Amino acid sequence: MAEQERKTKAERREEKRQRRMEEEAAAAAAQRRQTIRNTAVAVGLVAVLGGLTFLAVGNLNPTIENAITVAQADIDEARAANSCEVIQVEPIASREHLDPATAPPQETLYVNGRPTATGPHYANPGPIYSGVRDEQLDERATTHNLEHGSVIIWYDPEQVDGDAIDDIDELVGTLNESGFASNAGRAGILAAPFTDPGIDSGKAIAIRSWGQGMDCGSWDRDYAYGWIAEHFGSRGPAPEAALGQYPEDVLEISDQAGSDDEDAATDEDAATDEDAATEE
């Protein structure tokens, strides 16, 4: 009976992952409430750019109480479980600044795959928002954000459900309001649907940083955290990455594979108990 009730490694790992996500969500919610209280005067105004509103979170750089830490083993597992593939982006040499009034259409500019990761772009980058956008953003603006070291999470709304979109929104809001966003430099984390013409690979999620990308079959925070920690701002290859300085005290990748260590310890304890029972 005890053998049947004993949980598998995968079940224990999933329980640990769920607990960590719940703790992160609770801590993030508390931090966001505190941020709103502390910065009400400074960021209470909503700016308007091109008919769209965005929260002016830039340059405040509040610090979260506890850094978000994700194990490399969990990142690797999430990439494998969600069929993630690193996209080889064909480079576009031009970084020309375009006039929105005369700029060619996106499908003419970005022949290296969609959503793009490099190429000519509007002279002004797009604003950094506090969460997920409801509408697709113009790549001619967001490509300039990438040049400044931003990371963009594009999703296919036909394949990503509301719970996943809410989770993406929480991740973006927490990171941007905790130090990743700079509206002055237009660097930060962006997230929006991508329906026209759709993600080239046919996958549900397309993450892009300058010149690099990864497409995944479904959403998971762990692989997103890993990509951001490895490619955002001053950690990535963007030509103007200095405008997106990485906030070292917000998101970290640990070297310890905590879940595997815990599994090993549990298995060792179980084996010891079993040996003791046999000896008796």
Side-chain angles (χ1 to χ4, degrees):
M1 186 68 177
E3 290 290 335
Q4 293 178 346
E5 292 177 352
R6 186 181 173 194
K7 296 179 180 178
T8 65
K9 290 183 180 180
E11 289 172 335
R12 293 197 301 275
R13 183 179 293 111
E14 179 60 22
E15 285 186 355
K16 181 180 178 182
R17 179 174 173 276
Q18 289 296 329
R19 287 197 303 271
R20 178 163 60 81
M21 289 181 64
E22 290 171 2
E23 291 170 357
E24 287 179 3
Q31 178 61 35
R32 293 176 76 172
R33 289 193 296 270
Q34 186 63 43
T35 299
I36 291 172
R37 288 194 294 268
N38 291 345
T39 62
V41 175
V43 301
L45 297 178
V46 176
V48 178
L49 180 64
L52 299 175
T53 61
F54 67 96
L55 182 64
V57 296
N59 290 342
L60 294 176
N61 200 31
T63 302
I64 61 174
E65 185 174 349
N66 297 304
I68 299 169
T69 303
V70 57
Q72 184 62 54
D74 291 337
I75 295 171
D76 295 340
E77 183 177 347
R79 288 186 176 187
N82 294 279
S83 303
C84 295
E85 297 179 2
V86 174
I87 303 300
Q88 301 300 322
V89 180
E90 187 70 26
I92 296 178
S94 173
R95 290 164 50 203
E96 176 188 1
H97 283 182
L98 306 170
D99 182 343
T102 58
Q106 298 170 82
E107 58 268 23
T108 301
L109 288 171
Y110 306 123
V111 295
N112 61 338
R114 307 283 297 281
T116 189
T118 64
H121 44 263
Y122 287 161
N124 292 319
I128 301 300
Y129 303 97
S130 62
V132 173
R133 303 306 297 165
D134 294 329
E135 69 286 329
Q136 183 168 329
L137 301 176
D138 194 318
E139 290 171 273
R140 291 168 295 186
T142 60
T143 301
H144 200 157
N145 295 113
L146 294 178
E147 187 183 38
H148 290 185
S150 296
V151 170
I152 305 176
I153 302 170
W154 300 102
Y155 67 89
D156 179 357
E158 295 295 323
Q159 300 186 65
V160 178
D161 63 23
D163 289 342
I165 294 173
D166 288 344
D167 196 56
I168 297 172
D169 183 75
E170 177 70 25
L171 178 146
V172 171
T174 298
L175 293 184
N176 279 343
E177 293 173 13
S178 298
F180 276 83
S182 169
N183 273 314
R186 293 291 195 267
I189 313 298
L190 287 165
F194 195 86
T195 58
D196 183 17
I199 299 170
D200 277 358
S201 66
K203 292 184 180 288
I205 302 289
I207 300 183
R208 295 292 182 268
S209 50
W210 181 265
Q212 301 171 318
M214 182 174 69
D215 291 0
C216 299
S218 52
W219 168 252
D220 190 291
R221 278 195 181 210
D222 284 345
Y223 70 65
Y225 281 146
W227 187 271
I228 292 167
E230 294 170 356
H231 297 87
F232 180 84
S234 51
R235 292 191 177 184
E240 299 178 19
L243 294 173
Q245 284 295 319
Y246 190 91
E248 302 289 342
D249 55 350
V250 176
L251 174 62
E252 302 172 348
I253 298 178
S254 70
D255 293 328
Q256 300 297 321
S259 57
D260 289 344
D261 291 345
E262 182 179 291
D263 292 338
T266 303
D267 291 342
E268 184 177 338
D269 291 342
T272 301
D273 294 342
E274 187 175 313
D275 291 341
T278 302
E279 288 175 1
E280 291 177 1

